[in-house]
Amino acid sequence: MEKNRRSMKKMKYNKILFILIILSLALLALGCEEKMNAGPIVKSLQEPSTEFYILGPEGRAENYPTEYILGENGTLIVGIVNHEQKPVNYTMEVTLEETPLPLPADWKNVYLENNETLEKTVTITPPFKGTDMRLAFLLYNEDEKNTFEDNISVPYRNLNLWINVTTQNLSKNTSTPLTAT
């Protein structure tokens, strides 16, 4: 009788163990199916963003022209990549110590489709001399423009380069750290 009772207990534990294994396999299968179907969902949940960057004249993130002679110019490459998950209208401004610098018309209004990239050369001709001056590249998302009182617009992205402008070339240094905010 004792042997029969042990045998029944053992069968009961085996039955419970079997049920747990079946449930575990079922949950694992559901998890795998969910993981396989989650690819497009995860992609659509990526946060919309815009890449905005400056490259030196050689197309690399170095050797930015930072030493200028008054009346002469320097070139940079500016890039915009739209990852906003929709087409976007951008405008760009370049300022030196908050004084707007002239830009070609095709930089003033830029339309980019989702995942489209624009990379073009911009020529900078500083109109006055000074040291450690902020050359600001301001990018606005016209579809989501933020403004404060007095119609002051807040840039969607901005990059700053610190430059010196002299009447003669005093330094050979042509690179400075780029700051972004």
Side-chain angles (χ1 to χ4, degrees), residues 53-106:
Y53 57 90
I54 297 175
L55 304 173
E58 298 87 26
R60 294 188 299 253
E62 61 186 19
N63 295 327
Y64 304 103
T66 59
E67 299 295 327
Y68 289 83
I69 297 175
L70 190 62
E72 295 184 4
N73 58 37
T75 59
L76 296 156
I77 299 169
V78 176
I80 305 170
V81 184
N82 175 6
H83 295 295
E84 298 291 335
Q85 300 174 356
K86 63 181 181 181
V88 176
N89 291 301
Y90 297 101
T91 57
M92 187 176 80
E93 291 179 27
V94 178
T95 63
L96 179 60
E97 293 294 302
E98 299 186 23
T99 301
L101 299 181
L103 277 179
D106 59 343

Side-chain angles (χ1 to χ4, degrees), residues 108-134:
K108 292 179 184 174
N109 296 300
V110 176
Y111 174 83
L112 293 178
E113 292 286 341
N114 186 44
N115 292 323
E116 187 177 0
T117 300
L118 175 68
E119 203 172 83
K120 290 174 97 175
T121 300
V122 174
T123 301
I124 303 297
T125 308
F128 49 87
K129 65 181 187 167
T131 58
D132 205 26
M133 295 189 297
R134 183 173 74 123

Side-chain angles (χ1 to χ4, degrees), residues 2-175:
E2 183 67 32
K3 192 176 182 182
N4 214 7
R5 191 184 279 163
R6 281 188 206 163
S7 179
M8 292 291 275
K9 251 186 181 181
K10 190 175 181 182
M11 282 180 25
K12 187 176 179 181
Y13 288 126
N14 284 343
K15 192 175 185 181
I16 291 171
L17 183 60
F18 180 74
I19 290 171
L20 288 174
I21 290 172
I22 294 297
L23 284 173
S24 296
L25 289 173
L27 289 173
L28 180 63
L30 284 173
C32 289
E33 182 180 350
E34 187 175 322
K35 177 76 173 168
M36 289 175 65
N37 293 331
I41 294 170
V42 170
K43 190 172 187 174
S44 69
L45 293 177
Q46 290 176 342
E47 188 172 327
S49 64
T50 294
E51 291 179 50
F52 184 46
Y53 57 90
I54 297 175
L55 304 173
E58 298 87 26
R60 294 188 299 253
E62 61 186 19
N63 295 327
Y64 304 103
T66 59
E67 299 295 327
Y68 289 83
I69 297 175
L70 190 62
E72 295 184 4
N73 58 37
T75 59
L76 296 156
I77 299 169
V78 176
I80 305 170
V81 184
N82 175 6
H83 295 295
E84 298 291 335
Q85 300 174 356
K86 63 181 181 181
V88 176
N89 291 301
Y90 297 101
T91 57
M92 187 176 80
E93 291 179 27
V94 178
T95 63
L96 179 60
E97 293 294 302
E98 299 186 23
T99 301
L101 299 181
L103 277 179
D106 59 343
W107 270 117
K108 292 179 184 174
N109 296 300
V110 176
Y111 174 83
L112 293 178
E113 292 286 341
N114 186 44
N115 292 323
E116 187 177 0
T117 300
L118 175 68
E119 203 172 83
K120 290 174 97 175
T121 300
V122 174
T123 301
I124 303 297
T125 308
F128 49 87
K129 65 181 187 167
T131 58
D132 205 26
M133 295 189 297
R134 183 173 74 123
L135 180 63
F137 295 81
L138 310 170
L139 184 69
Y140 298 91
N141 178 335
E142 291 299 318
D143 301 334
E144 297 176 18
K145 202 162 192 175
N146 294 324
T147 55
F148 286 126
E149 294 176 22
D150 302 325
N151 285 336
I152 297 172
S153 295
V154 179
Y156 185 59
R157 300 282 183 267
N158 70 319
L159 301 166
N160 300 306
L161 192 60
W162 303 97
I163 68 168
N164 298 313
V165 181
T166 60
T167 53
Q168 59 183 350
N169 193 1
L170 300 175
S171 171
K172 298 280 187 200
N173 179 17
T174 59
S175 185

